């Protein structure tokens, strides 16, 4: 099991999620799982995430839920995090 969960609540952000993905792929420490909480997106978020999962460059977990808003996304993340440590990176942000 990984040590850290990086979670991202998202809603119709397929156009910018690649920024987070690319930044996570290039991290020198890969001891994390990226948990994506898709809060009811109607764009191609799921297909995009599936393509990244098939690349197998980083550990990715994907959860789709009916739209509950940002706080609902956070609550779903906290219900599913299995690591001791976690950090939220917003869907329009990235790691340096």
């Amino acid at each position: 099991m990984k040590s850290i969960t990086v979670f991202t609540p998202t809603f119709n952000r397929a156009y910018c999620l690649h920024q987070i993905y690319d930044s996570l792929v290039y991290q020198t420490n890969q001891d994390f799982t990226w948990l994506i909480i898709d809060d009811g997106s109607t764009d191609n978020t799921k297909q995009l995430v599936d393509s990244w999962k098939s690349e197998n460059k980083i550990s990715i977990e994907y959860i789709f839920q009916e739209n509950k808003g940002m706080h609902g996304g956070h609550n779903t993340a906290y219900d599913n995090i299995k690591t001791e440590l976690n950090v939220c990176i917003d869907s329009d942000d990235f790691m340096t």
Side-chain angles (χ1 to χ4, degrees), residues 37-87:
I37 308 298
D38 186 344
D39 196 37
S41 293
T42 57
D43 62 3
N44 65 327
T45 296
K46 182 181 184 336
Q47 293 82 3
L48 185 61
V49 172
D50 285 346
S51 74
W52 292 334
K53 288 174 73 171
S54 71
E55 290 177 1
N56 202 31
K57 292 183 178 180
I58 59 174
S59 173
I60 299 174
E61 293 181 31
Y62 173 83
I63 297 173
F64 181 87
Q65 67 182 21
E66 295 301 316
N67 188 278
K68 298 179 182 178
M70 184 180 69
H71 291 66
H74 280 249
N75 290 338
T76 299
Y78 292 129
D79 287 343
N80 288 276
I81 290 172
K82 300 172 187 81
T83 59
E84 181 179 352
L85 303 171
N86 67 79
V87 62

Side-chain angles (χ1 to χ4, degrees), residues 7-10 13 16-17 20 34 70 74 87-94:
F7 72 93
T8 302
T10 186
R13 293 292 186 114
C16 64
L17 277 175
I20 304 172
W34 186 24
M70 184 180 69
H74 280 249
V87 62
C88 178
I89 306 298
D90 288 333
S91 56
D92 61 349
D93 227 337
F94 59 91

